[in-house]
Amino acid sequence: GAVVSQHPSRVICKSGTSVKIECRSLDFQATTMFWYRQFPKQSLMLMATSNEGSKATYEQGVEKDKFLINHASLTLSTLTVTSAHPEDSSFYICSAQTGGDHPYQPQHFGDGTRLSIL
Amino acid sequence: AQKITQTQPGMFVQEKEAVTLDCTYDTSDQSYGLFWYKQPSSGEMIFLIYQGSYDEQNATEGRYSLNFQKARKSANLVISASQLGDSAMYFCAMREGGGGGFKTIFGAGTRLFVKA
């Protein structure tokens, strides 16, 4: 089955640091990947859609300059949390979809990254 | 307005019994997909089952079945013969939105507790 690898699984760092999270599709090519944020005991909130070779599409209210997304290849998307502060602490999870852009395939998720900013 | 509504924050079920997790959705699209995911305490999202808007038969995957009632816009998950390992958070999700690119949005989730 489709496998999505996310790295690192956990990050603890000081306020002001920039943190990069990688999302890789291991056995398929993903022209589109998605980044979600999840607060404790809450649902997944879509942050942005990452498109290979073009700019990401951000959801309303998500700061583009805070959350930089790069999708340089068909198997890798990265999310960089710039100048992270304690309020950026959260669980970040990426997903990718096999096949084309349609509603009939499930998304496959990475295992998530738990980010803690001290 | 909520696109995906899961009205049960928490549910208890006895081991080996069946349980239904409710999900209603709201969309004006003709083509959409409905999904259920399981999230254990470790955090990963596990795909369980899928139903397409044009599918006339209810989807089934092992112990999971999706009770799809299109006119009522509901897509309830039924887990038969519950096991202790089924204790987790369950999210209903909908994929819609063709014109600007399809997106998947999630409900608030239902936490299922399976009792021995």
Side-chain angles (χ1 to χ4, degrees), chain A residues 36 38 43 59 97 104 107, chain B residues 37 39 50 95 103-104 107:
Chain A
Y36 292 85
Q38 186 180 28
S43 186
E59 295 300 300
Q97 181 174 306
Y104 304 125
Q107 290 179 242
Chain B
Y37 288 87
Q39 187 179 43
Y50 152 80
R95 189 158 173 79
K103 299 177 186 176
T104 301

Side-chain angles (χ1 to χ4, degrees), chain A residues 48-66:
Chain A
T49 301
S50 169
N51 302 296
E52 187 267 336
S54 64
K55 291 183 180 180
T57 303
Y58 289 82
E59 295 300 300
Q60 195 171 10
V62 177
E63 297 177 62
K64 300 178 185 181
D65 296 332
K66 162 66 78 175

Side-chain angles (χ1 to χ4, degrees), chain A residues 34 36 38 42-44 46 59 91 93 97 101-107 109 111, chain B residues 31-33 35 37 39 43-45 47 50 54 91 95 101-104 106-107:
Chain A
F34 304 89
Y36 292 85
Q38 186 180 28
Q42 294 190 26
S43 186
L44 278 71
L46 180 65
E59 295 300 300
F91 187 65
I93 191 164
Q97 181 174 306
D101 187 28
H102 56 74
Y104 304 125
Q105 291 269 15
Q107 290 179 242
F109 286 82
D111 287 346
Chain B
S31 299
Y32 53 90
F35 306 86
Y37 288 87
Q39 187 179 43
E44 71 269 28
M45 294 289 284
F47 165 67
Y50 152 80
Y54 293 114
F91 290 100
R95 189 158 173 79
F102 286 97
K103 299 177 186 176
T104 301
F106 289 81

Side-chain angles (χ1 to χ4, degrees), chain A residues 25-45:
Chain A
S25 55
L26 295 186
D27 52 357
F28 66 100
Q29 293 184 331
T31 54
T32 304
M33 292 184 175
F34 304 89
W35 288 96
Y36 292 85
R37 183 174 182 176
Q38 186 180 28
F39 291 104
K41 301 188 189 302
Q42 294 190 26
S43 186
L44 278 71
M45 180 191 76

